[in-house]
């Protein structure tokens, strides 16, 4: 979630939008576009109208084609509220550029624009806010107390200038000092430092994870055993089925009801672990050795 230069919250994954014209690639920061300019990219709503082509920059810096199974026109946060089933919850990630230092006024302007739409159109929809930008996470909590706020972190798998972003321990400090409700960590950061899960729980914070490993059923099940509250996955149905297959009934002759509730790609784990504490302790010591950071 980001905001255009004319203060309209729009849904887009990246900080920059790329397009090709006559063989030349053009890159523009989304926050420097007006809403009308932003909506000119990709498929258009008007029949017969062609939008500007879309490209993406991969993590290694390569420019790649915009390749998706099903494509649609770009949209605003207001339109998402109006057109998506109201029973479906939203995880609104507040996106800011890692390479920009934001002052309080800039953060306030962006967050106020987002809150104006949320308060006007969210109604009773379940919502959480999350952000990698610690000051944005702290400010959105000060500006409202209706919706929970989670601090996003790489959990130490990447190092940033802002030390608050460099470990789960620092993330706990941010949450406790700012009254946030929980942490969303890169799953490898948790597997590398499983002892932090206990610290997070003792701090009365919720813990969710994201990352490619969450598309592996065994990795998700292991997190359930560790006491992690939920996972953000791409393949919701596939992972739900895979984890269900891994869960064994607590009694040989009885089927225990096991399920994953789903909220906008977030699965909340509800089952009881089947390992003894000694077995689980061994696994937690083994996992960091198996994960390559």
């Amino acid at each position: 979630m980001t905001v255009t230069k004319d203060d309209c919250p729009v849904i887009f994954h990246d900080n920059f939008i790329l397009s090709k014209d006559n063989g030349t690639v053009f890159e523009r920061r989304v926050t420097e576009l007006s809403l009308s300019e932003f909506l000119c990219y990709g498929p258009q709503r008007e029949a017969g109208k062609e939008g500007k082509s879309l490209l993406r920059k991969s993590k290694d810096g390569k420019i790649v084609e915009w390749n998706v199974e099903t494509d649609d026109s770009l949209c605003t946060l207001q339109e998402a509220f109006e057109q998506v089933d109201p029973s479906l919850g939203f995880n609104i990630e507040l996106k800011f550029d890692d390479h920009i230092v934001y002052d309080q006024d800039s953060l306030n302007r962006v967050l106020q624009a987002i809150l104006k739409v949320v308060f006007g159109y969210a109604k009773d929809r379940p919502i959480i806010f999350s952000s990698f930008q610690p000051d944005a996470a702290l400010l959105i909590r000060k500006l409202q107390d209706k919706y929970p706020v989670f601090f996003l972190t790489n959990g130490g798998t990447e190092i940033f200038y802002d030390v608050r972003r460099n470990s789960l321990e620092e993330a706990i400090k941010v949450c406790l000092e700012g009254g946030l409700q929980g942490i969303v960590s890169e799953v490898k950061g948790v597997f590398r430092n499983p002892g932090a899960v206990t610290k997070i729980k003792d701090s009365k914070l919720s813990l969710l994870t994201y990352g490619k490993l969450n598309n592996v059923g065994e990795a998700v099940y292991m997190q359930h055993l560790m006491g992690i509250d939920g996972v953000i996955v791409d393949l919701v149905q596939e992972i739900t089925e895979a984890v269900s297959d891994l869960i064994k009934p607590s009694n040989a002759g009885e089927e225990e009801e096991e399920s994953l509730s789903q909220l906008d790609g977030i699965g909340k784990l509800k089952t009881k672990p089947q390992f003894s504490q000694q077995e689980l302790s061994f696994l937690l010591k083994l996992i960091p050795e198996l994960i390559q950071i």
Side-chain angles (χ1 to χ4, degrees):
M1 172 64 53
T2 190
V3 173
T4 59
K5 72 176 182 181
D6 46 357
D7 293 337
C8 182
V10 294
I11 298 174
F12 196 71
H13 183 272
D14 300 327
N15 292 315
F16 292 88
I17 193 164
L18 283 75
S19 183
K20 182 182 288 187
D21 186 23
N22 293 325
T24 302
V25 175
F26 295 90
E27 178 181 73
R28 298 191 67 183
R29 192 181 294 276
V30 175
T31 54
E32 295 175 351
L33 298 172
S34 66
L35 175 60
S36 59
E37 290 173 323
F38 173 75
L39 294 177
C40 284
Y41 291 86
Q44 298 295 292
R45 303 172 193 185
E46 298 176 32
K49 185 177 180 180
E50 187 173 343
K52 295 181 180 179
S53 65
L54 277 174
L55 302 171
R56 285 202 67 184
K57 183 178 290 187
S58 62
K59 285 189 175 181
D60 59 6
K62 293 181 180 178
I63 306 298
V64 297
E65 295 294 327
W66 185 273
N67 227 349
V68 294
E69 290 183 9
T70 304
D71 209 356
D72 201 352
S73 56
L74 298 177
C75 75
T76 66
L77 178 60
Q78 177 181 330
E79 290 169 331
F81 280 134
E82 293 173 333
Q83 297 175 27
V84 175
D85 188 317
S87 66
L88 183 65
F90 283 5
N91 171 14
I92 300 179
E93 181 186 343
L94 310 169
K95 294 186 71 69
F96 294 89
D97 195 314
D98 292 340
H99 305 292
I100 294 179
V101 177
Y102 296 90
D103 59 38
Q104 199 78 352
D105 289 341
S106 299
L107 292 175
N108 187 66
R109 179 186 65 81
V110 170
L111 298 181
Q112 291 285 13
I114 292 172
L115 286 175
K116 182 179 179 181
V117 174
V118 171
F119 289 145
Y121 297 92
K123 299 180 181 178
D124 295 325
R125 186 189 301 275
I127 287 173
I128 67 171
F129 288 109
S130 62
S131 183
F132 283 104
Q133 221 289 355
D135 292 324
L138 295 170
L139 182 55
I140 197 74
R141 181 60 180 158
K142 289 180 180 178
L143 294 174
Q144 61 83 44
D145 59 7
K146 181 177 180 179
Y147 303 109
V149 180
F150 283 65
F151 181 42
L152 274 161
T153 177
N154 295 86
T157 60
E158 294 181 59
I159 300 301
F160 298 90
Y161 178 77
D162 190 331
V163 295
R164 295 174 295 177
R165 299 185 58 183
N166 290 338
S167 70
L168 289 171
E169 286 76 14
E170 287 293 335
I172 293 172
K173 290 180 185 178
V174 171
C175 290
L176 294 180
E177 292 171 4
L180 309 188
Q181 281 68 44
I183 296 168
V184 184
S185 173
E186 215 293 340
V187 60
K188 286 186 177 181
V190 174
F191 280 159
R192 189 178 73 169
N193 184 14
V197 176
T198 300
K199 296 177 184 177
I200 292 169
K201 291 299 177 183
D202 288 345
S203 301
K204 309 299 182 186
L205 297 171
S206 297
L207 175 60
L208 308 177
T209 67
Y210 71 93
K212 289 184 177 180
L213 271 179
N214 279 354
N215 290 319
V216 179
E218 290 80 0
V220 173
Y221 181 56
M222 188 62 219
Q223 292 175 71
H224 160 54
L225 300 180
M226 295 168 68
I228 290 169
D229 297 298
V231 296
I232 298 174
V233 305
D234 298 318
L235 312 173
V236 177
Q237 186 62 37
E238 292 89 334
I239 295 303
T240 300
E241 294 172 356
V243 174
S244 296
D245 290 341
L246 289 169
I247 295 170
K248 298 177 181 179
S250 55
N251 296 311
E254 299 179 9
E255 280 291 331
E256 181 181 352
E257 182 181 356
E258 313 286 6
S259 65
L260 291 172
S261 66
Q262 296 167 15
L263 171 61
D264 190 28
I266 301 175
K268 187 176 182 182
L269 308 177
K270 295 183 175 179
T271 61
K272 304 274 187 182
Q274 303 299 322
F275 288 102
S276 69
Q277 284 300 313
Q278 186 176 8
E279 290 170 328
L280 183 56
S281 177
F282 170 76
L283 287 171
L284 293 179
K285 290 178 181 177
L286 180 63
I287 284 174
E289 302 298 326
L290 300 177
I291 298 300
Q292 298 297 319
I293 303 299

